[in-house]
C-alpha cells in the first residue's frame, strides 16, 4: 500500500451522480414505473405499482415535479377527474445518468473480495467499539 | 390494458429490498468501499474514498454499526490511535441482497421505451398542473 492511498483516490466512492431527488427509494420506484410508460401513468396506477398511500405518492410527486423530473396533468376520463404523471424529457435524461452511476456501484462491488479476509494485522492492541 | 392493471402488479416497483440503512447515498459509498476491502479500511482512508467530513463519516458509521452492517475497532498503528472499519459477515450478505435489487431496477428500466411516446390521448380537456 502506498503511503497516502486516500490522496490517489479521493472521492472514488462518493457517487456524486446519485441525484438525491431520484435516489430516494419511493421516488426511484415512481420514476422506474414512469420510464417504462413514456405515455404516462394515472395516479391510481402509480399508487398500485409503487404500493404507496395517496399522501405519500402526492408528496413524492410534488418533489419530482418541482425538480423538473415529472410533469403532472389533470384531465377527465369517462367524466371522472384523473391525474396523469409523465417523465419530462429532461427527467428521462437525468434518470439515465443516475442509472449509469448505479451500474458503476454494481461494477465496483462485483470486484469485491470473494472471500472475506481477516481484519488487518497491523493494528496492535485493537478492540471493538 | 385490463380494467384493473394496478391489481395485477401491486407493488411491482416498490423495491422493498432497498434497505434504507444501505440505500442512503453516503452510506452506499462507505459500504461499497468496505466491500472491496474485506480486511477493513482505516477511518482516514474511508474519509478520502468517500469524500466525507469527519463528522459525516462518524455519523454514518454509527448508523451502519447500530444496524449490524459494519464493525468498528480501535487500535494503534505506529503508536498512533487508529479506527478500523470492516463489514460484518451479515453486512456482506445484506449488501449483496441490496445489490440484487439494484440490478432489478436497472433491468426494469432497460426495458423502458426507447422513444418517448405522446401523452395518453384518452384524457380529455387535460391541462398541466
Amino acid at each position: 500500500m502506498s503511503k497516502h492511498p486516500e490522496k490517489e483516490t479521493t472521492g472514488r466512492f462518493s457517487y456524486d451522480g446519485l441525484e438525491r431527488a431520484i435516489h430516494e427509494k419511493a421516488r426511484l420506484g415512481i420514476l422506474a414505473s414512469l420510464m417504462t410508460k413514456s405515455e404516462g401513468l394515472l395516479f391510481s396506477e402509480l399508487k398500485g405499482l409503487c404500493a404507496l398511500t395517496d399522501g405519500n405518492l402526492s408528496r413524492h410527486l410534488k418533489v419530482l415535479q418541482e425538480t423538473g423530473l415529472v410533469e403532472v396533468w389533470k384531465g377527465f376520463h369517462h367524466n371522472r377527474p384523473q391525474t396523469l404523471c409523465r417523465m419530462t424529457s429532461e427527467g428521462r435524461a437525468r434518470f439515465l445518468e443516475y442509472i449509469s452511476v448505479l451500474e458503476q456501484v454494481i461494477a465496483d462491488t462485483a470486484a469485491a473480495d470473494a472471500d472475506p479476509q481477516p481484519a488487518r494485522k497491523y493494528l496492535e492492541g485493537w478492540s471493538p467499539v
Side-chain angles (χ1 to χ4, degrees), chain A:
Chain A
M1 182 178 297
S2 68
K3 200 169 175 187
H4 296 294
E6 71 274 23
K7 294 226 169 101
E8 291 160 17
T9 49
T10 300
R12 170 69 184 79
F13 291 89
S14 63
Y15 299 133
D16 293 325
L18 291 183
E19 187 181 346
R20 286 192 189 276
I22 299 176
H23 190 60
E24 198 281 333
K25 178 179 158 178
R27 291 198 289 269
L28 184 54
I30 294 168
L31 295 173
S33 311
L34 292 176
M35 283 297 282
T36 67
K37 286 282 182 188
S38 61
E39 78 274 25
L41 283 165
L42 296 178
F43 188 94
S44 56
E45 292 169 338
L46 264 182
K47 198 180 126 176
L49 286 167
C50 302
L52 290 168
T53 61
D54 282 27
N56 272 336
L57 179 53
S58 295
R59 185 167 59 85
H60 288 303
L61 283 175
K62 191 158 181 283
V63 174
L64 293 172
Q65 196 181 7
E66 285 170 357
T67 50
L69 291 157
V70 162
E71 55 191 25
V72 177
W73 297 74
K74 299 283 188 186
F76 290 88
H77 184 223
H78 294 154
N79 286 329
R80 291 183 56 200
Q82 296 282 359
T83 299
L84 180 80
C85 310
R86 189 173 178 242
M87 293 291 279
T88 62
S89 56
E90 184 201 324
R92 295 179 70 85
R94 281 159 60 191
F95 190 83
L96 292 174
E97 176 68 23
Y98 170 89
I99 287 290
S100 74
V101 183
L102 283 196
E103 287 170 335
Q104 184 61 51
V105 173
I106 290 171
D108 286 343
T109 55
D113 301 337
D115 300 304
Q117 302 297 309
R120 285 188 183 182
K121 296 297 188 206
Y122 67 75
L123 279 186
E124 292 160 26
W126 57 320
S127 56
V129 178

